[in-house]
Amino acid sequence: VPGHQPRHLQGFAFRSATMRLDATVLRFLEDDHFRVMTAIEQGMKNHELVPTPLIERIANLRCGGTRKILGILCKYKLVVHESAVYDGFKLVYLGYDYLALHTFLKRKTIASLGSQIGKGKESDCYVCCDDDGNKRILKLHRLGRTSFQNVTNKRDYFHAKGKRRGASWLYLSKLSAQKEYEYMTNLFEQDFPVPTPIDQNRHAVLMSIAPGYTLANIIKCEHPEKVYESCLDIVIRLARHGKIHCDMNEFNLMVDDDEKVTLIDFPQMIATNHRNAPTYFQRDVQCLHDYFAKKYGILYNFQ
């Protein structure tokens, strides 16, 4: 029914004019639609393309209708249908986004979704709010983009014992989000200057808004030496706590009006017992050195 909004989505605000993730379709989806998408997600653990009969068995809808729902999901571009080898379906990132949003809605950690505020080589970030109007950041991991398809060779947790080989990019994005949330939670509990972790589901991480602006977008710091020392202090504290950030640059450091620094972006972090930890630690320090030397003429001797 046009304009109908399922009970579990009543009160949810949708905005789509300025973002790639079009959440307006959520208002037309019922529990059975999510049940079918979840069935495809489960089937993709062992199938690149999930056969239609398997989807029907996993979904196990009371009155049938799985094939009709699959047609609707294809219409909204939440799943893809292929029949070259055999008839089957697979989730795409938009469908995975909807499954994560649906979970956050049921957990009441998200009440409204705003516009996209950032796009990186491996993630998209959106503003959202809870029931009390508190703004939060929703980060959606999107591994597999052309510029980042060698990720499986760079991230050690993709090769950990028990992880599926030949897994889809959706599954790898889920692993990336899980690791980022775990590291962020651990750092937050140890009083590091990081966003507050709020929730995580599938490839999505929900966190507080980091105050300030990225260091790369700040035209000029009033006290660049102070900011530089704060950044170095974070690198050293991380190492003392057994962690290396591995991507310490001006795009992953937020600086507020009081020149306090907040660290963001954690899926690439490693432990100090990693075989390449010294190299990554030196690279983090060198990145900071190069940035502040080039922009502010600050030179430190680390010998």
Side-chain angles (χ1 to χ4, degrees), residues 7 13 40 42 54-55 83 85 112 125 128 153 155 159 167 174 179 184 215 225 235 255 263 277 286 293:
R7 182 177 301 175
I40 298 175
Q42 294 175 2
L54 178 59
I55 298 173
S83 57
V85 180
S112 63
C125 292
C128 58
N153 297 323
R155 303 290 170 83
H159 305 286
K174 175 183 177 180
K179 180 177 182 182
M184 194 190 312
L215 185 58
E225 294 87 356
V235 175
V255 182
L263 181 64
Q286 191 65 45

Side-chain angles (χ1 to χ4, degrees), residues 10-222:
Q10 289 178 2
F12 185 79
F14 303 88
R15 300 174 184 174
S16 60
T18 60
M19 62 181 180
R20 188 174 183 179
L21 171 58
D22 185 359
T24 56
V25 177
L26 269 172
R27 70 173 73 244
F28 302 110
L29 299 182
E30 300 282 356
D31 287 339
D32 283 352
H33 296 91
F34 290 103
R35 189 165 179 171
V36 172
M37 281 196 289
T38 302
I40 298 175
E41 178 188 21
Q42 294 175 2
M44 288 178 67
K45 293 179 180 179
N46 301 307
H47 299 80
E48 181 176 354
L49 190 67
V50 187
T52 305
L54 178 59
I55 298 173
E56 291 178 315
R57 288 199 302 271
I58 297 176
N60 192 27
L61 299 184
R62 291 182 179 180
C63 301
T66 299
R67 292 177 184 266
K68 180 180 179 180
I69 289 177
L70 286 170
I72 295 173
L73 297 177
C74 284
K75 174 184 176 182
Y76 291 135
K77 299 181 180 179
L78 306 180
V79 302
V80 172
H81 173 241
E82 295 181 10
S83 57
V85 180
Y86 59 87
D87 188 70
F89 296 81
K90 62 181 178 181
L91 272 175
V92 295
Y93 268 118
L94 185 58
Y96 214 42
D97 295 344
Y98 275 36
L99 285 173
L101 282 173
H102 182 63
T103 300
F104 289 143
L105 282 168
K106 293 198 297 184
R107 293 177 181 173
K108 299 187 182 299
T109 50
I110 286 183
S112 63
L113 184 67
S115 59
Q116 183 174 353
I117 62 168
K119 181 176 182 178
K121 59 182 179 289
E122 58 174 333
S123 63
D124 293 332
C125 292
Y126 298 86
V127 175
C128 58
C129 291
D130 61 11
D131 287 326
D132 297 324
N134 299 313
K135 290 185 178 180
R136 298 172 172 180
I137 295 297
L138 176 66
K139 181 176 181 180
L140 302 172
H141 289 243
R142 301 198 187 284
L143 301 189
R145 287 174 173 164
T146 304
S147 60
F148 210 67
Q149 288 191 357
N150 58 349
V151 64
T152 54
N153 297 323
K154 294 184 177 181
R155 303 290 170 83
D156 54 346
Y157 55 92
F158 291 148
H159 305 286
K161 185 177 180 180
K163 302 303 181 184
R164 301 201 305 262
R165 293 186 177 182
S168 69
W169 288 115
L170 298 183
Y171 177 71
L172 297 180
S173 294
K174 175 183 177 180
L175 292 183
S176 180
Q178 287 176 339
K179 180 177 182 182
E180 175 161 47
Y181 187 75
E182 290 171 1
Y183 268 117
M184 194 190 312
T185 300
N186 182 267
L187 294 174
F188 180 78
E189 291 173 348
Q190 297 182 55
D191 202 30
F192 276 86
V194 299
T196 304
I198 298 173
D199 202 355
Q200 183 267 325
N201 181 258
R202 295 179 172 88
H203 66 318
V205 177
L206 191 62
M207 68 191 83
S208 65
I209 296 180
Y213 312 89
T214 59
L215 185 58
N217 289 333
I218 296 177
I219 298 176
K220 186 177 181 180
C221 292
E222 186 174 352

